[in-house]
PDB file of all heavy atoms in Angstrom:
ATOM      1  N   GLY Z 134       4.309  32.379  -0.299  1.00 36.00           N
ATOM      2  CA  GLY Z 134       4.904  31.120  -0.633  1.00 36.00           C
ATOM      3  C   GLY Z 134       5.127  30.257   0.566  1.00 36.00           C
ATOM      4  O   GLY Z 134       5.377  29.083   0.443  1.00 36.00           O
ATOM      5  N   SER Z 164     -23.624  25.127  -6.437  1.00 31.00           N
ATOM      6  CA  SER Z 164     -23.660  25.716  -5.090  1.00 31.00           C
ATOM      7  C   SER Z 164     -24.112  24.730  -4.080  1.00 31.00           C
ATOM      8  O   SER Z 164     -23.712  24.780  -2.927  1.00 31.00           O
ATOM      9  CB  SER Z 164     -24.491  26.974  -5.066  1.00 31.00           C
ATOM     10  OG  SER Z 164     -23.859  27.941  -5.886  1.00 31.00           O
ATOM     11  N   SER Z 199     -17.746  23.586   8.435  1.00 91.00           N
ATOM     12  CA  SER Z 199     -18.751  22.750   7.767  1.00 91.00           C
ATOM     13  C   SER Z 199     -18.700  23.007   6.229  1.00 91.00           C
ATOM     14  O   SER Z 199     -18.835  22.065   5.422  1.00 91.00           O
ATOM     15  CB  SER Z 199     -20.182  23.122   8.253  1.00 91.00           C
ATOM     16  OG  SER Z 199     -20.293  22.780   9.656  1.00 91.00           O
ATOM     17  N   SER Z 208      -8.395  15.706 -10.048  1.00 81.00           N
ATOM     18  CA  SER Z 208      -7.847  15.102 -11.188  1.00 81.00           C
ATOM     19  C   SER Z 208      -8.076  15.975 -12.449  1.00 81.00           C
ATOM     20  O   SER Z 208      -7.289  16.013 -13.401  1.00 81.00           O
ATOM     21  CB  SER Z 208      -8.373  13.680 -11.441  1.00 81.00           C
ATOM     22  OG  SER Z 208      -9.768  13.740 -11.530  1.00 81.00           O
ATOM     23  N   SER Z 213     -15.238  22.286 -11.134  1.00 81.00           N
ATOM     24  CA  SER Z 213     -15.649  22.950  -9.885  1.00 81.00           C
ATOM     25  C   SER Z 213     -14.611  23.968  -9.450  1.00 81.00           C
ATOM     26  O   SER Z 213     -14.296  24.115  -8.290  1.00 81.00           O
ATOM     27  CB  SER Z 213     -15.872  21.966  -8.786  1.00 81.00           C
ATOM     28  OG  SER Z 213     -16.745  20.915  -9.177  1.00 81.00           O
ATOM     29  N   PHE Z 230      -7.914  32.973  11.625  1.00 93.00           N
ATOM     30  CA  PHE Z 230      -8.632  33.108  12.927  1.00 93.00           C
ATOM     31  C   PHE Z 230      -7.967  32.338  14.003  1.00 93.00           C
ATOM     32  O   PHE Z 230      -7.894  32.816  15.152  1.00 93.00           O
ATOM     33  CB  PHE Z 230     -10.058  32.635  12.674  1.00 93.00           C
ATOM     34  CG  PHE Z 230     -10.893  32.577  13.921  1.00 93.00           C
ATOM     35  CD1 PHE Z 230     -11.367  33.732  14.527  1.00 93.00           C
ATOM     36  CD2 PHE Z 230     -11.212  31.340  14.537  1.00 93.00           C
ATOM     37  CE1 PHE Z 230     -12.110  33.708  15.702  1.00 93.00           C
ATOM     38  CE2 PHE Z 230     -11.945  31.296  15.721  1.00 93.00           C
ATOM     39  CZ  PHE Z 230     -12.390  32.492  16.285  1.00 93.00           C
ATOM     40  N   GLU Z 240     -16.432  23.168  22.619  1.00 94.00           N
ATOM     41  CA  GLU Z 240     -16.348  21.769  22.206  1.00 94.00           C
ATOM     42  C   GLU Z 240     -16.942  21.508  20.827  1.00 94.00           C
ATOM     43  O   GLU Z 240     -16.438  20.695  20.123  1.00 94.00           O
ATOM     44  CB  GLU Z 240     -17.110  20.891  23.286  1.00 94.00           C
ATOM     45  CG  GLU Z 240     -17.008  19.411  22.996  1.00 94.00           C
ATOM     46  CD  GLU Z 240     -17.357  18.564  24.173  1.00 94.00           C
ATOM     47  OE1 GLU Z 240     -17.733  19.121  25.236  1.00 94.00           O
ATOM     48  OE2 GLU Z 240     -17.282  17.311  24.042  1.00 94.00           O
ATOM     49  N   ILE Z 243     -14.204  22.367  18.420  1.00 95.00           N
ATOM     50  CA  ILE Z 243     -13.184  21.288  18.419  1.00 95.00           C
ATOM     51  C   ILE Z 243     -13.693  20.096  17.650  1.00 95.00           C
ATOM     52  O   ILE Z 243     -12.950  19.517  16.782  1.00 95.00           O
ATOM     53  CB  ILE Z 243     -12.812  20.917  19.842  1.00 95.00           C
ATOM     54  CG1 ILE Z 243     -12.133  22.117  20.572  1.00 95.00           C
ATOM     55  CG2 ILE Z 243     -11.858  19.704  19.832  1.00 95.00           C
ATOM     56  CD1 ILE Z 243     -11.931  21.920  22.069  1.00 95.00           C
ATOM     57  N   SER Z 300      -2.937  27.814  22.039  1.00 93.00           N
ATOM     58  CA  SER Z 300      -3.170  27.859  23.511  1.00 93.00           C
ATOM     59  C   SER Z 300      -4.698  27.926  23.799  1.00 93.00           C
ATOM     60  O   SER Z 300      -5.099  27.707  24.954  1.00 93.00           O
ATOM     61  CB  SER Z 300      -2.472  29.037  24.116  1.00 93.00           C
ATOM     62  OG  SER Z 300      -2.921  30.219  23.459  1.00 93.00           O
ATOM     63  N   LYS Z 305      -7.922  18.785  27.588  1.00 94.00           N
ATOM     64  CA  LYS Z 305      -8.873  17.862  28.201  1.00 94.00           C
ATOM     65  C   LYS Z 305     -10.087  17.612  27.322  1.00 94.00           C
ATOM     66  O   LYS Z 305     -10.593  16.469  27.299  1.00 94.00           O
ATOM     67  CB  LYS Z 305      -9.319  18.377  29.565  1.00 94.00           C
ATOM     68  CG  LYS Z 305      -8.180  18.413  30.623  1.00 94.00           C
ATOM     69  CD  LYS Z 305      -8.694  18.941  31.901  1.00 94.00           C
ATOM     70  CE  LYS Z 305      -7.566  19.011  32.958  1.00 94.00           C
ATOM     71  NZ  LYS Z 305      -7.997  19.540  34.274  1.00 94.00           N
ATOM     72  N   SER Z 314      -8.551   6.650  17.442  1.00 96.00           N
ATOM     73  CA  SER Z 314      -8.942   6.405  16.047  1.00 96.00           C
ATOM     74  C   SER Z 314      -8.372   7.451  15.133  1.00 96.00           C
ATOM     75  O   SER Z 314      -7.876   7.150  14.026  1.00 96.00           O
ATOM     76  CB  SER Z 314     -10.429   6.294  15.904  1.00 96.00           C
ATOM     77  OG  SER Z 314     -10.890   6.154  14.550  1.00 96.00           O
ATOM     78  N   HIS Z 339       4.337  15.212  16.038  1.00 95.00           N
ATOM     79  CA  HIS Z 339       5.135  15.738  17.166  1.00 95.00           C
ATOM     80  C   HIS Z 339       4.317  16.676  18.077  1.00 95.00           C
ATOM     81  O   HIS Z 339       4.354  16.634  19.270  1.00 95.00           O
ATOM     82  CB  HIS Z 339       6.370  16.465  16.653  1.00 95.00           C
ATOM     83  CG  HIS Z 339       7.379  16.756  17.748  1.00 95.00           C
ATOM     84  ND1 HIS Z 339       7.311  17.909  18.455  1.00 95.00           N
ATOM     85  CD2 HIS Z 339       8.477  16.120  18.168  1.00 95.00           C
ATOM     86  CE1 HIS Z 339       8.284  17.914  19.349  1.00 95.00           C
ATOM     87  NE2 HIS Z 339       9.026  16.847  19.194  1.00 95.00           N
ATOM     88  N   LYS Z 344       0.964  17.719  22.963  1.00 94.00           N
ATOM     89  CA  LYS Z 344      -0.197  18.364  23.461  1.00 94.00           C
ATOM     90  C   LYS Z 344      -1.013  17.403  24.357  1.00 94.00           C
ATOM     91  O   LYS Z 344      -1.482  17.784  25.439  1.00 94.00           O
ATOM     92  CB  LYS Z 344      -1.082  18.823  22.314  1.00 94.00           C
ATOM     93  CG  LYS Z 344      -2.361  19.615  22.697  1.00 94.00           C
ATOM     94  CD  LYS Z 344      -2.027  21.042  22.991  1.00 94.00           C
ATOM     95  CE  LYS Z 344      -3.262  21.844  23.219  1.00 94.00           C
ATOM     96  NZ  LYS Z 344      -2.953  23.319  23.439  1.00 94.00           N
ATOM     97  N   ILE Z 397      12.773  -1.880  25.866  1.00 95.00           N
ATOM     98  CA  ILE Z 397      12.237  -2.908  24.962  1.00 95.00           C
ATOM     99  C   ILE Z 397      12.071  -2.336  23.552  1.00 95.00           C
ATOM    100  O   ILE Z 397      12.290  -2.994  22.539  1.00 95.00           O
ATOM    101  CB  ILE Z 397      10.888  -3.452  25.494  1.00 95.00           C
ATOM    102  CG1 ILE Z 397      11.185  -4.300  26.769  1.00 95.00           C
ATOM    103  CG2 ILE Z 397      10.136  -4.241  24.459  1.00 95.00           C
ATOM    104  CD1 ILE Z 397       9.927  -4.727  27.488  1.00 95.00           C
ATOM    105  N   ARG Z 401      13.707  -4.292  20.582  1.00 95.00           N
ATOM    106  CA  ARG Z 401      12.770  -5.012  19.667  1.00 95.00           C
ATOM    107  C   ARG Z 401      12.405  -4.211  18.441  1.00 95.00           C
ATOM    108  O   ARG Z 401      11.848  -4.795  17.473  1.00 95.00           O
ATOM    109  CB  ARG Z 401      11.542  -5.406  20.441  1.00 95.00           C
ATOM    110  CG  ARG Z 401      11.823  -6.384  21.577  1.00 95.00           C
ATOM    111  CD  ARG Z 401      10.507  -6.847  22.250  1.00 95.00           C
ATOM    112  NE  ARG Z 401      10.750  -7.749  23.353  1.00 95.00           N
ATOM    113  CZ  ARG Z 401       9.806  -8.263  24.140  1.00 95.00           C
ATOM    114  NH1 ARG Z 401       8.538  -7.912  23.929  1.00 95.00           N
ATOM    115  NH2 ARG Z 401      10.092  -9.057  25.108  1.00 95.00           N
ATOM    116  N   ALA Z 470      33.902   0.068  30.514  1.00 94.00           N
ATOM    117  CA  ALA Z 470      33.279  -1.184  31.003  1.00 94.00           C
ATOM    118  C   ALA Z 470      32.375  -1.842  29.981  1.00 94.00           C
ATOM    119  O   ALA Z 470      32.384  -3.092  29.786  1.00 94.00           O
ATOM    120  CB  ALA Z 470      32.487  -0.902  32.306  1.00 94.00           C
ATOM    121  N   TRP Z 502      40.502   3.793  13.279  1.00 96.00           N
ATOM    122  CA  TRP Z 502      41.714   4.196  14.028  1.00 96.00           C
ATOM    123  C   TRP Z 502      42.032   5.719  13.937  1.00 96.00           C
ATOM    124  O   TRP Z 502      42.979   6.159  14.504  1.00 96.00           O
ATOM    125  CB  TRP Z 502      42.960   3.335  13.597  1.00 96.00           C
ATOM    126  CG  TRP Z 502      43.015   2.055  14.263  1.00 96.00           C
ATOM    127  CD1 TRP Z 502      43.756   1.752  15.402  1.00 96.00           C
ATOM    128  CD2 TRP Z 502      42.291   0.835  13.935  1.00 96.00           C
ATOM    129  NE1 TRP Z 502      43.548   0.407  15.719  1.00 96.00           N
ATOM    130  CE2 TRP Z 502      42.695  -0.126  14.866  1.00 96.00           C
ATOM    131  CE3 TRP Z 502      41.464   0.485  12.955  1.00 96.00           C
ATOM    132  CZ2 TRP Z 502      42.214  -1.424  14.854  1.00 96.00           C
ATOM    133  CZ3 TRP Z 502      40.947  -0.793  12.909  1.00 96.00           C
ATOM    134  CH2 TRP Z 502      41.315  -1.782  13.843  1.00 96.00           C
ATOM    135  N   ILE Z 530      48.789  -6.286   3.905  1.00 93.00           N
ATOM    136  CA  ILE Z 530      50.033  -5.834   3.332  1.00 93.00           C
ATOM    137  C   ILE Z 530      50.537  -6.806   2.293  1.00 93.00           C
ATOM    138  O   ILE Z 530      51.104  -6.400   1.278  1.00 93.00           O
ATOM    139  CB  ILE Z 530      51.118  -5.647   4.464  1.00 93.00           C
ATOM    140  CG1 ILE Z 530      50.709  -4.458   5.353  1.00 93.00           C
ATOM    141  CG2 ILE Z 530      52.519  -5.497   3.886  1.00 93.00           C
ATOM    142  CD1 ILE Z 530      51.540  -4.254   6.537  1.00 93.00           C
ATOM    143  N   ALA Z 537      45.235   2.577  -1.525  1.00 95.00           N
ATOM    144  CA  ALA Z 537      44.787   3.403  -0.399  1.00 95.00           C
ATOM    145  C   ALA Z 537      44.634   2.540   0.840  1.00 95.00           C
ATOM    146  O   ALA Z 537      44.958   2.934   1.939  1.00 95.00           O
ATOM    147  CB  ALA Z 537      43.453   4.038  -0.776  1.00 95.00           C
ATOM    148  N   LYS Z 546      49.414  -0.249  11.436  1.00 94.00           N
ATOM    149  CA  LYS Z 546      50.485  -1.122  11.892  1.00 94.00           C
ATOM    150  C   LYS Z 546      51.537  -0.310  12.669  1.00 94.00           C
ATOM    151  O   LYS Z 546      52.019  -0.718  13.756  1.00 94.00           O
ATOM    152  CB  LYS Z 546      51.127  -1.808  10.727  1.00 94.00           C
ATOM    153  CG  LYS Z 546      52.180  -2.840  11.078  1.00 94.00           C
ATOM    154  CD  LYS Z 546      52.675  -3.602   9.850  1.00 94.00           C
ATOM    155  CE  LYS Z 546      53.838  -4.565  10.230  1.00 94.00           C
ATOM    156  NZ  LYS Z 546      54.399  -5.215   8.995  1.00 94.00           N
ATOM    157  N   LYS Z 570      53.300 -22.722   9.709  1.00 91.00           N
ATOM    158  CA  LYS Z 570      52.633 -23.976   9.987  1.00 91.00           C
ATOM    159  C   LYS Z 570      51.552 -24.187   8.944  1.00 91.00           C
ATOM    160  O   LYS Z 570      51.357 -25.315   8.450  1.00 91.00           O
ATOM    161  CB  LYS Z 570      52.024 -23.993  11.374  1.00 91.00           C
ATOM    162  CG  LYS Z 570      53.061 -24.094  12.510  1.00 91.00           C
ATOM    163  CD  LYS Z 570      52.310 -24.152  13.856  1.00 91.00           C
ATOM    164  CE  LYS Z 570      53.290 -24.244  14.984  1.00 91.00           C
ATOM    165  NZ  LYS Z 570      52.605 -24.246  16.307  1.00 91.00           N
TER     166      LYS Z 570
END
Side-chain angles (χ1 to χ4, degrees):
S164 295
S199 298
S208 57
S213 307
F230 174 72
E240 185 164 1
I243 296 171
S300 58
K305 293 181 180 179
S314 175
H339 190 274
K344 184 80 173 184
I397 290 173
R401 296 185 183 176
W502 275 265
I530 290 174
K546 185 177 176 182
K570 288 181 180 179

